[in-house]
Amino acid sequence: MGQAQPAARSIGERIRQARKSRGMSQVDLATKVGVSQPAIANWESGVHDPRRLTLAKLADALEAPLDWLAAGDRSSAESDKHAAAAYIRRPVRHVPVISLRAAALLARDATADPHVMAEDYIPVTIGPAKLFAVFINDPAVNLAFLPDTVVVVDYEDRRPDNGDFCLAWVGDMPIVRRWRGGPNGYGPARLEPYSSEEGYPLIPVTPTVTIIGCVRVSIRVH
């Protein structure tokens, strides 16, 4: 980890930093630890903190010191020893839930305000300032997002890493796909499905494709 370690303060930031330093995607790390990709995304975004045993698995998968991971903000800055205290004390933000059609406006104008388009709000406890949420019901990514899943999108981050899920404007509709290739991977940049079903194509990233933002959190609505 070298001198870059102290730059990451929270447990989630340290997981993300260690993963990126190893050139791993969230899916790669999830496979090694035996969890889902959304679980990795939630930990890195600070929605939840992994339990101690899971943190040990993460440290092993990332080849990172367990003490360094565990000494993130949750354990070093929290004086209350109650297991839920760090989670409860995080500030809650209300993220606007918008339609996919409304999200298309952000493909053309990054300064558009999702709050103006809000159909509802969901409370989250993650840090990026520019967030909105959309419902996903897309069988092309059903291995990552079950029907009626809300995904929270960081629309300030339009440069996905290899393996990240992102919301992209393709054709005449925004879709969620996994980013592959380009500077952070092998081969030309493309958007790929992540589905239990066959037949969904790889989409080459051309000048007509616009990345609206990267998926940071997913929430299943029952």
Side-chain angles (χ1 to χ4, degrees):
M1 300 301 299
Q3 296 299 316
Q5 291 181 4
R9 295 181 56 189
S10 71
I11 289 175
E13 289 170 346
R14 293 182 181 202
I15 293 170
R16 183 177 178 84
Q17 183 185 88
R19 174 178 64 78
K20 284 177 171 286
S21 73
R22 292 287 173 188
M24 299 169 62
S25 70
Q26 290 183 343
V27 173
D28 295 334
L29 180 56
T31 300
K32 282 181 172 290
V33 178
V35 298
S36 66
Q37 178 274 333
I40 301 295
N42 287 346
W43 291 334
E44 290 187 355
S45 299
V47 174
H48 304 292
D49 286 318
R51 296 180 183 275
R52 181 74 183 190
L53 289 177
T54 304
L55 199 61
K57 292 181 181 179
L58 285 163
D60 184 59
L62 294 166
E63 299 181 35
L66 176 58
D67 289 347
W68 177 72
L69 285 180
D73 278 355
R74 181 185 65 176
S75 56
S76 65
E78 181 59 57
S79 58
D80 190 334
K81 300 303 182 182
H82 191 281
Y87 178 82
I88 293 170
R89 290 185 179 180
R90 291 194 183 109
V92 173
R93 295 181 52 211
H94 291 85
V95 172
V97 180
I98 65 176
S99 68
L100 282 172
R101 281 289 180 186
L105 296 175
L106 290 159
R108 299 189 292 270
D109 181 8
T111 66
D113 185 359
H115 291 275
V116 175
M117 318 167 197
E119 298 177 352
D120 203 345
Y121 282 85
I122 58 170
V124 298
T125 57
I126 60 179
K130 293 189 174 182
L131 300 174
F132 66 82
V134 291
F135 275 92
I136 297 297
N137 288 285
D138 188 346
V141 287
N142 65 10
L143 289 177
F145 310 109
L146 295 173
D148 295 319
T149 292
V150 177
V151 296
V152 178
V153 177
D154 177 0
Y155 65 99
E156 192 169 37
D157 183 359
R158 297 190 170 200
R159 301 183 64 180
D161 290 330
N162 191 46
D164 284 354
F165 284 91
C166 59
L167 182 66
W169 174 260
V170 179
D172 62 352
M173 192 68 179
I175 59 173
V176 171
R177 291 293 187 273
R178 186 163 57 176
W179 177 275
R180 284 298 190 193
N184 298 311
Y186 297 105
R190 64 227 182 250
L191 301 172
E192 69 174 14
Y194 190 50
S195 177
S196 60
E197 305 171 10
E198 297 182 354
Y200 296 102
L202 288 171
I203 301 171
V205 176
T206 67
T208 62
V209 173
T210 300
I211 303 301
I212 300 172
C214 294
V215 174
R216 291 289 172 244
V217 177
S218 65
I219 303 168
R220 183 78 195 283
V221 178
H222 297 280

